[in-house]
Amino acid sequence: MSADIIITNLFVFALAGFLGLEVIRRVPKLLHTPLMALTNALSAIALVGSLVILGHAATTYSIIMGFVAVVASTINVVGGFLLTDKMLRMFKRREPPAARTQPESSS
Amino acid sequence: MSADIIITNLFVFALAGFLGLEVIRRVPKLLHTPLMALTNALSAIALVGSLVILGHAATTYSIIMGFVAVVASTINVVGGFLLTDKMLRMFKRREPPAARTQPESSS
Amino acid sequence: MRLHIIELVYLAAAMGFALSLKWMSSPPTARRGILAGEIGFVLAIGATLALPGFTNEGYIYIAVALLIGSAIGVPLGLLVPMTAMPQRIALSHSFGALAAALVGTAHYYLETTHLGKFELAVLGFEMLLGFLVFTGSLMAAGKLQELLPQRPIVYKGQNATNFAVLGAALVLIIVLVFQPGATWIVPIIAALGLAFGILLIVPIGGADMPTVIALLNSYAGLSAAALGLVLNNKLLIVAGALDGTSGLILSIIMCRAMNRSFRNVLFGAFGAVDETADGEAPTGAIRSASPDEAAEILKNSRLVVIVPGYGMAVAQAQHKVRELADALAKEGVEVRFAIHPVAGRMPGHMNVLLAEANVPYDQLYDMEDINPEFPQVDVVLVLGANDVVNPAARHNKGSPIYGMPILEVDKAQTVMVVKRSMRAGFAGIENELFYDPKTLMVFGDAKKVVGDLVNEVTGARDRVSL
Amino acid sequence: MRLHIIELVYLAAAMGFALSLKWMSSPPTARRGILAGEIGFVLAIGATLALPGFTNEGYIYIAVALLIGSAIGVPLGLLVPMTAMPQRIALSHSFGALAAALVGTAHYYLETTHLGKFELAVLGFEMLLGFLVFTGSLMAAGKLQELLPQRPIVYKGQNATNFAVLGAALVLIIVLVFQPGATWIVPIIAALGLAFGILLIVPIGGADMPTVIALLNSYAGLSAAALGLVLNNKLLIVAGALDGTSGLILSIIMCRAMNRSFRNVLFGAFGAVDETADGEAPTGAIRSASPDEAAEILKNSRLVVIVPGYGMAVAQAQHKVRELADALAKEGVEVRFAIHPVAGRMPGHMNVLLAEANVPYDQLYDMEDINPEFPQVDVVLVLGANDVVNPAARHNKGSPIYGMPILEVDKAQTVMVVKRSMRAGFAGIENELFYDPKTLMVFGDAKKVVGDLVNEVTGARDRVSL
Ligand SMILES: NC(=O)c1ccc[n+]([C@@H]2O[C@H](COP(=O)([O-])OP(=O)(O)OC[C@H]3O[C@@H](n4cnc5c(N)ncnc54)[C@H](OP(=O)(O)O)[C@@H]3O)[C@@H](O)[C@H]2O)c1
Ligand SMILES: NC(=O)c1ccc[n+]([C@@H]2O[C@H](COP(=O)([O-])OP(=O)(O)OC[C@H]3O[C@@H](n4cnc5c(N)ncnc54)[C@H](OP(=O)(O)O)[C@@H]3O)[C@@H](O)[C@H]2O)c1
């Protein structure tokens, strides 16, 4: 693959990493467990790659590997999102709303 | 130029824009004027392009345009940074340090 | 053309992921965050299925695989009790990592001839990481589920072994880079990765597992990003990068809260080993009380602070605790919850449990906010917490948790500790707090004890209201 | 190879820019931010000069151009007074935009034959934007420097004209996309852009200029990013995107603070026109006082809040103000500064001026923080501020500033207003505050008046200390 593509991808990686740092830093302690669950779901993005491998069904090996990969990552994605959602649905606040867990205003 | 490159660049643009939103939102009112000055300096990044045009010195036209462009953007860059620095050097805090303008902790 | 549209959809998906993390920054928006993430995934899957080159049988396989995956994923997501959260997360990490590793491997065998040096290097790294996270996460899950011994397993020359394995793997990757055709190398790299994952976790104590999990999460992200580099798939790169940073930050936060040097955890065992050395054991008489005595004291006090810990999670006592708080409130007692950042077994573990029991989250106080107030507190009710209230962290230089910021409950007027025995907490060390003259031990299972307390308190109220 | 290293250096530069903005999030780190930005630029320039294809004469031209640019840039950066900041920034915007526009144009003529449809479209857009920002910024600078009439210039069919010009430009861009060779189009696009920049600003009142400047900044960023798309230069794209968002956010913030609909400003004139309609003029007697009377009152009060406004900037009174604050502090009076988000002519304008006069920034209070406290304030000293303390914003629906959040100084015990006359502020409207029985007008140039106040206060102290 041409070095240009590699470098562009490094650009993307660097920017995404920086962005990640900025947004994650703002997540309050309160939500750290849901955050772990969510990122856990995201970490199964390899699903995309798995689909390609399995979809091409090139060799028996690749089919087997791809199949396992798709199953595994699907478990991770589906389970992860359901779990996170289940958790978050539990978070309630007492009236009147207190401000301490609000994000700070945009100024 | 191939559409792949265009799309990659859109990726870069989107990520950078998102990143911009996240970081700028955290700048306190206190520093809005320096921020304007700084981004003003950054907006002269066209200097890079100007250098290329002038450096190739291809046609008389391009030389003239490039020359003006380099001069103009250099003014912007140099002036912008000096100005921002000058401003920021003025910001002092009284002892004991107060916390209100600190960034919030990373948790 | 089609390819480009797919790329654009990937871009949208990537933005969805970024938004989902951004919206996690506050409870009101968090649900929206999930939605964004889910939309991101739907887009990603849809676009991928639209890629050219898929065979019909391929589509069939995919359909089946997706179904099976969902069939397992749904119960895993819905049925797992909140207390089993850490091992649950570790487990599903292992799945994600396995997928990443397999994709990398398959890609190698399919493309062997077309792979450049850079890709081979990244690919090797990716496989190593993937397999490592796979076994590592399984180990972590096992330890947390107590299928495996919690205590660190250490032996002579451990670091040597680990370094050897790691070194061998790296050497092989280099060889692979220069002999792309040497297909025999890949299985060995895989094996070494699997082995290293185990070796890495074996010597780490259970108490470090959550940190390790966060770290493995970040590794998983890295391997996804690496895969993206190889497949030139920007969506993988973005998601991987976001994931990697998030895991990294979480583990750093945890380390801070337990004041363990991040280096230690980063290199897993290598240094965590001495974690379990005991400080000198405190001695002396302990005062224990019965639930009804405790209830008496509680409802005659003005301000009560409840400090939940891992024990509450084990006992599933959160709902009873909520009842107790309400009952006391009815008695005119002010009740607050003090949440230590690493109470339980995950960051925010207690927050989730109490949220499950409908305790409004603005009734929970962070360590920094509540510590100064303990001197004004009449009674602190320590519910299955131990290490996070161990005063040794403040003054006993010998103690392994020395320096870890704790909830300073010993500054309160009275301390009640609810636990089943005098046994140690996760750090495996004695807790002098239990021998403090102002401390009352209330032995028993947290759920049971709190249940009794509720009855006493409410019962009492009924009599009064006659 | 070399090209790739250059690309990597560009990546480093881009990160530098991102960091520089990130570090602007707090005064302690802000200086570091500048450094990061400067390093970014040095890297960018260095890498660019290392690109192949540069001719020797080219290098010479560059050297000369850089020298000239710096020679002009240095004084522009160091000598401009803080009060002229807005026009200063507008001016240097115009330079940056001009450069972007020229590069785009030159690129078109050099590459005419190799340009694809997408590039042509983006290029056209880029040129239009660049030239538009160029003239627009010049206009804005002119208005702020009062070389041009501040008041909006409106005429019949204005919007029609603007839309016509804009439409024509867009049509021409489309034509260009399908006839890349039609070189005659480009100069026309340029001309239309230049014209549109002027037309856009003409009808906007001076009070909206800062918002416009922030907006132009964001446009400049966009055109830089567009240029990056055409030249396939990711550094330009990143810098442009960062710049664009920053300008956007600032203008939104300003609009909020002046509660102007963002749409209005986004489309410049189109809607801002009615800005200067007067509310019904308040009437009644006004009480005016001499500096020595004012000083008497000031030093016999416990809590004084100083509200600086544009007038302080014009009069360059910030240093005297600092002296006054110190003198009063010596008298045992507590002094605070209340900063309205849009006091002056730029966001944070007052903060900079007071910082210049060494007022520690933690003595400055934001509107939200101080408003609730005014009832406890003995004396509010309004220094050349007007619109930002105009109570009409609260209750007079007719007033153009109705709904704009203000400093509620009229809630204080006594209000002193220092200004030269009864003339209106930037919004061009009467201020009933001046007719409030509790208000004392102290007429005169802010610097002069405050100087007198200082002498009175200190002088008085000396007498006391005899
Ligand atoms: N939260 C995180 O992210 C995280 C991460 C890494 C490490 N850790 C570690 O985990 C520990 C957390 O501290 P902690 O105070 O929450 O918990 P802990 O120190 O592990 O103590 C838990 C206590 O609860 C008691 N307990 C267990 N089951 C019980 C039941 N059914 N009913 C009543 N009591 C019960 C146990 O005593 P008995 O057996 O006598 O009942 C035990 O002493 C810290 O060492 C921390 O460093 C946490
Ligand atoms: N800050 C921003 O970002 C921003 C952006 C857009 C618009 N604006 C607008 O700018 C205005 C700012 O309000 P403001 O209260 O700060 O200023 P202002 O409303 O413009 O009033 C300034 C006052 O200062 C007085 N003044 C002028 N020169 C003086 C001198 N040498 N000595 C003493 N007094 C002097 C003037 O009265 P005399 O002529 O009688 O002396 C004038 O009434 C608002 O309308 C705001 O919407 C600000």
Side-chain angles (χ1 to χ4, degrees), chain D residues 102-161:
Chain D
L102 288 178
V103 174
T105 318
H107 183 72
Y108 167 78
Y109 282 114
L110 294 174
E111 303 288 326
T112 315
T113 50
H114 315 85
L115 294 172
K117 288 196 174 6
F118 175 82
E119 285 147 290
L120 282 165
V122 176
L123 201 52
F125 168 77
E126 191 271 337
M127 288 186 282
L128 184 64
L129 216 49
F131 285 114
L132 174 163
V133 174
F134 173 52
T135 46
S137 306
L138 283 179
M139 289 288 294
K143 283 204 176 199
L144 287 164
Q145 191 62 40
E146 317 205 343
L147 302 174
L148 299 171
Q150 299 251 0
R151 291 197 152 268
I153 297 163
V154 277
Y155 52 86
K156 267 184 100 304
Q158 187 161 39
N159 294 0
T161 331

Side-chain angles (χ1 to χ4, degrees), chain A residues 1 5-6 9 12-13 16-17 19-21 23-59 62-63 65 67-94 96 98 100-103, chain C residues 10 17 21 24-28 30-31 34 37-38 41 45 48 53-55 58 61-62 65-66 68-70 72-74 76-78 80 82 85 88-89 92-93 95-96 99-100 102-103 106 110 118-119 217 224-225 229-230 232-234 236-238 241-243 245-246 249-250 253 341 346-349 351-352 355-356 358 360-364 368:
Chain A
M1 151 177 28
I5 299 184
I6 295 172
N9 289 335
V12 173
F13 180 74
L19 180 58
L21 281 172
V23 289
I24 304 283
R25 279 180 53 226
R26 314 292 170 183
V27 179
K29 283 198 190 72
L30 178 69
L31 292 177
H32 276 169
T33 296
L35 175 64
M36 273 181 107
L38 178 63
T39 51
N40 169 253
L42 294 188
S43 72
I45 186 66
L47 173 57
V48 170
S50 326
L51 289 173
V52 175
I53 299 287
L54 183 53
H56 288 81
T59 72
S62 76
I63 292 178
M65 293 195 195
F67 194 86
V68 179
V70 173
V71 172
S73 43
T74 311
I75 296 175
N76 190 343
V77 176
V78 174
F81 276 116
L82 286 174
L83 178 66
T84 320
D85 192 54
K86 178 178 159 195
M87 272 189 221
L88 287 176
R89 231 183 285 108
M90 301 183 311
F91 282 88
K92 302 196 188 42
R93 83 123 54 71
R94 158 183 58 189
R100 35 198 273 285
T101 49
Q102 293 303 317
Chain C
Y10 278 161
F17 293 157
L21 290 179
M24 287 300 280
S25 60
S26 84
R31 293 289 301 282
I34 307 282
E38 286 165 347
F41 254 103
I45 295 173
T48 309
F54 279 40
T55 68
Y61 292 138
I62 288 177
L66 287 176
I68 299 178
S70 314
I72 308 175
V74 172
L76 206 60
L78 295 181
V80 175
M82 282 301 151
M85 200 52 57
R88 155 73 183 72
I89 289 181
S92 82
H93 260 327
F95 290 131
L102 288 178
V103 174
L110 293 174
F118 175 82
E119 286 146 290
N217 185 348
L229 279 177
V230 176
N232 182 23
N233 179 323
K234 287 167 198 56
L236 278 170
I237 296 175
V238 173
L242 291 173
D243 202 30
T245 44
S246 138
I249 293 181
L250 279 179
I253 291 175
M346 285 185 304
H349 198 172
N351 304 84
V352 181
E356 183 189 10
N358 293 320
Y361 58 74
D362 44 4
Q363 215 167 354
L364 314 180
E368 307 75 47

